Amino acid sequence: MSASVVSLAQARVQRNCRMIQESNQRTLGHVRDLQKAQRSLASSLDTVRDGLVEFSDALDGSIQRLHDSGARQQRIMDRIERIQASSDAFR
């Protein structure tokens, strides 16, 4: 092989190495962007989860208050019926 062929081959190898290195740098940048997006998404999901837990707790409280209110209403209705029955008995 002549020196010029070796020199051309070395130049091609160096160029290919630079291209690979540049591609690796771009890939690394994309990986970092994806990691940042993943952290942001995880944070958003944590916020959504916390909001759902708070909503669930509030809903449980509302259901309990509704149940209690229904029980009070039933007691009042029972009392009214007893009063009406007593009133009818005096007539």
Side-chain angles (χ1 to χ4, degrees), residues 26-82:
R26 286 190 302 273
T27 301
L28 183 59
H30 295 313
V31 167
R32 287 180 179 148
D33 290 344
L34 289 171
Q35 288 172 332
K36 182 179 177 183
Q38 186 273 335
R39 286 190 300 272
S40 177
L41 180 58
S43 175
S44 295
L45 288 174
D46 286 345
T47 301
V48 168
R49 183 198 61 225
D50 293 345
L52 287 173
V53 168
E54 288 178 23
F55 174 76
S56 177
D57 291 345
L59 187 58
D60 285 345
S62 294
I63 290 170
Q64 185 60 48
R65 286 189 296 280
L66 184 59
H67 180 268
D68 294 346
S69 176
R72 276 192 305 275
Q73 185 178 7
Q74 185 60 50
R75 286 192 302 272
I76 292 168
M77 294 300 293
D78 292 345
R79 192 176 308 155
I80 290 170
E81 287 177 6
R82 285 193 305 274

Side-chain angles (χ1 to χ4, degrees), residues 78-91:
D78 292 345
R79 192 176 308 155
I80 290 170
E81 287 177 6
R82 285 193 305 274
I83 291 169
Q84 286 175 339
S86 296
S87 176
D88 290 345
F90 285 116
R91 288 186 191 171

